[in-house]
Amino acid sequence: MTGLAVSDPAAWAVSAAEAIAFVVILTGVLQTLFYFIQLVYAGAALATRPPVPRSATLWRRYSEQAPAISVLAPAFNEELSIVESTRSLLALQYPDFEVVIINDGSKDGTLQKMIDAFGLERVDRFVDRAVSHAPIRGFYASSDYPRLLVLDKENGGKSDALNAGINCCRTALFCAIDADSILEPDALLRVVRPFIDEPQLTIAAGGTIRIANGCKVDAGRISEINLPRNFLALVQIVEYLRAFLMARLGLGKMQALTVISGAFGLFRRRHVVEVGGYSHGTVGEDMELVIKLHRLMREQKRDYRIEFIAEPVCWTECPDSLQILSRQRARWQRGSLECFAKHRHMLFNPKYGRIGFIGFGQILLVDVVGPLIEVIGYILVPLLWGLGLLALPWLLAFLAVTFTLGIFLSAATLVLEEIQLRRFPRIRELLILAAVAVLENFGYRQLSNFWRLQGWWQYIRKQQSWGTMTRKGFASAS
């Protein structure tokens, strides 16, 4: 009896350890399988809609059909980069567009920098009341820059600033970007393609975000693409390639895209107004807008498409310090959780079709339970093996899922980048990124998941602040 009493707890401990390892490994396998499917669909998307190699070809093909676009750029304390960013927007190659810079109650010299650089003066402008936002203090424009309008308002946050821009824009389409970002000259011509090809169906389209750290900036344009020397910036280049060139391109092809980056997205204004504009009280306003559009169209049983186009590029400065990067990733995690909780009834709901099963299934697997289970795996699987409660094959399976498959996906994304887009002209840069794709799995990926756990904790505590996001500005990269 004594032997049985001792062996039962030991057998139970081994079974519990194997159950934990099984859940961790199964979650990793499911995530990797889903990523692999996205990779296949991303390749198919690039094959069926290959990039147009030259801007001149785009202009000849689309300039006569291109609808007018208002480019909305919220700015809060962006005095370091606002003039360079605005010049890049004014230099866009597009037949009919307006640039609306929305000064969201900046406390630095953002507004004055704009006034001095472009010779702006106070003007009047009609404002619609379609969506809600904080009070507008005034408008500024200049006859020397007829495409430029600066809207000055009280601080209300990014979503509030975009709503103000929506109310004052006069075009059927608007492009939402970050004021600290730089669009490539032909970005609008490229991202508008689905609106021209399928004008009755397309309601939104997103483009690619790339890292500008290390690049040379001249007169508001990326004049030379270089890799940064900072490792955190390097690893984010690989992350962004994987997120946009694999995940979002693949999900767009599946028509299950749940987020268009707030740094670069093109929308049909009337549909955004129908859903009430950008939501307040969330840090995931870009994600929630796309979900609200899906929900509107599905509930009204209307045909529609939300697309992702790989080749239009928006360049942005990424954090290059652990402190600022951790704040950003925790905030992104919190935004995903807020959107998932607010629209959780869409999960696996047949009423919402593939967006409920594929789109929300991915959010559940990758954003909701993913970081929790991965961190549990980092801690418990090696510990349980060290205590003799897990056999070696369990540990090897865990390591394969954690490291080998992650490296494969990153390397495959780089191959896709080189075959289709070729934004890195030198082989040396691709070799460096390939090395980073390997190294990121040994320390950085684990640290990133701990940051996402911080976002979980902030979500539980109902924290709403964005946190300070200090930037160096594009001038330092020139």
Side-chain angles (χ1 to χ4, degrees):
M1 295 293 294
T2 303
L4 182 61
V6 173
S7 64
D8 283 349
W12 181 89
V14 171
S15 298
E18 291 179 348
I20 292 172
F22 177 79
V23 171
V24 170
I25 293 169
L26 178 63
T27 302
V29 169
L30 289 175
Q31 286 183 339
T32 304
L33 178 62
F34 196 74
Y35 290 146
F36 182 77
I37 293 172
Q38 289 176 355
L39 185 65
V40 172
Y41 270 86
L46 288 174
T48 55
R49 184 183 275 160
V52 178
R54 298 184 57 191
S55 299
T57 304
L58 279 168
W59 187 270
R60 288 194 299 270
R61 184 179 301 179
Y62 292 123
S63 61
E64 293 184 1
Q65 310 170 59
I69 294 175
S70 293
V71 181
L72 309 183
F76 177 73
N77 292 349
E78 301 285 358
E79 65 177 356
L80 288 174
S81 59
I82 189 63
V83 173
E84 287 284 343
S85 297
T86 303
R87 291 192 192 282
S88 76
L89 295 176
L90 293 173
L92 289 171
Q93 298 170 1
Y94 197 80
D96 189 3
F97 72 98
E98 178 182 42
V99 176
V100 181
I101 305 295
I102 306 145
N103 180 47
D104 190 38
S106 296
K107 298 177 182 178
D108 64 357
T110 297
L111 180 60
Q112 193 59 48
K113 286 266 188 181
M114 292 291 292
I115 291 173
D116 294 341
F118 299 101
L120 303 178
E121 297 179 353
R122 289 285 293 251
V123 296
D124 294 325
R125 175 84 167 210
F126 171 77
V127 180
D128 194 3
R129 300 296 178 186
V131 291
S132 63
H133 56 79
I136 293 174
R137 297 189 290 220
F139 295 95
Y140 297 82
S142 169
S143 57
D144 294 332
Y145 299 91
R147 294 188 186 274
L148 177 62
L149 177 72
V150 175
L151 185 162
D152 182 38
K153 63 180 287 293
E154 295 181 7
N155 180 258
K158 183 179 178 181
S159 59
D160 190 88
L162 285 168
N163 282 346
I166 291 169
N167 276 350
C168 78
C169 78
R170 298 169 175 171
T171 58
L173 302 181
F174 73 86
C175 180
I177 72 162
D178 285 342
D180 55 7
S181 300
I182 292 178
L183 287 180
E184 289 191 347
D186 61 2
L188 288 184
L189 274 173
R190 292 184 182 276
V191 79
V192 82
R193 285 176 66 186
F195 288 90
I196 295 174
D197 295 341
E198 298 181 291
Q200 302 304 318
L201 293 177
T202 306
I203 64 172
T208 298
I209 311 299
R210 299 223 173 189
I211 303 301
N213 301 48
C215 297
K216 291 184 180 179
V217 179
D218 182 25
R221 293 189 180 187
I222 300 293
S223 59
E224 184 178 336
I225 299 175
N226 296 313
L227 294 182
R229 297 181 179 180
N230 179 278
F231 178 77
L232 285 179
L234 276 172
V235 78
Q236 287 175 82
I237 291 177
V238 176
E239 280 188 308
Y240 275 52
L241 283 175
R242 194 167 54 239
F244 287 92
L245 196 53
M246 181 189 73
R248 296 192 188 179
L249 184 57
L251 288 169
K253 179 66 175 176
M254 289 186 272
Q255 281 299 295
L257 187 65
T258 57
V259 59
I260 289 174
S261 174
F264 183 27
L266 186 62
F267 300 88
R268 199 171 295 279
R269 181 183 181 273
R270 64 183 176 89
H271 291 105
V272 174
V273 169
E274 277 188 82
V275 299
Y278 287 86
S279 299
H280 299 78
T282 178
V283 294
E285 76 289 328
D286 50 357
M287 182 178 188
E288 199 193 357
L289 176 62
V290 176
I291 291 174
K292 289 196 300 183
L293 289 172
H294 279 297
R295 182 175 172 179
L296 170 74
M297 304 304 281
R298 290 281 179 175
E299 290 178 350
Q300 296 186 359
K301 298 180 179 179
R302 293 154 67 180
D303 292 334
Y304 73 103
R305 295 188 68 83
I306 294 179
E307 299 281 6
F308 179 85
I309 311 297
E311 64 267 27
V313 174
C314 173
W315 295 86
T316 189
E317 179 188 357
C318 73
D320 59 6
S321 74
L322 286 172
Q323 184 181 36
I324 299 175
L325 183 57
S326 66
R327 291 174 187 159
Q328 182 194 65
R329 297 310 164 86
R331 174 168 54 82
W332 286 0
Q333 175 67 19
R334 183 161 32 107
S336 295
L337 294 173
E338 288 173 354
C339 292
F340 181 81
K342 187 172 182 179
H343 302 277
R344 60 187 178 274
H345 67 283
M346 296 175 67
L347 176 66
F348 303 145
N349 189 334
K351 179 179 180 180
Y352 299 99
R354 66 187 68 187
I355 196 66
F357 285 91
I358 300 175
F360 268 76
Q362 189 211 24
I363 298 174
L364 175 66
L365 183 63
V366 175
D367 294 325
V368 178
V369 303
L372 299 173
I373 293 179
E374 282 200 49
V375 170
I376 289 172
Y378 299 151
I379 297 170
L380 290 185
V381 172
L383 177 62
L384 293 172
W385 175 77
L387 293 173
L389 297 175
L390 275 181
L392 182 60
W394 286 104
L395 179 65
L396 295 178
F398 169 74
L399 294 177
V401 169
T402 303
F403 300 109
T404 308
L405 295 177
I407 293 170
F408 166 77
L409 288 170
S410 296
T413 305
L414 286 176
V415 171
L416 199 62
E417 146 72 28
E418 176 60 15
I419 291 174
Q420 292 287 355
L421 300 179
R422 299 182 181 180
R423 292 305 176 104
F424 300 105
R426 295 175 289 272
I427 188 65
R428 175 178 172 273
E429 295 171 335
L430 286 172
L431 292 175
I432 291 173
L433 292 177
V436 172
V438 174
L439 293 174
E440 71 162 332
N441 291 277
F442 301 91
Y444 176 80
R445 176 177 167 181
Q446 291 73 28
L447 183 59
S448 180
N449 275 304
F450 279 104
W451 292 335
R452 295 172 72 191
L453 281 188
Q454 293 179 3
W456 250 108
W457 178 242
Q458 292 171 4
Y459 168 73
I460 292 172
R461 296 176 59 197
K462 301 186 183 301
Q463 184 174 328
Q464 285 295 319
S465 65
W466 274 58
T468 303
M469 301 298 293
T470 306
R471 296 183 185 271
K472 296 179 180 178
F474 289 119
S476 62
S478 300

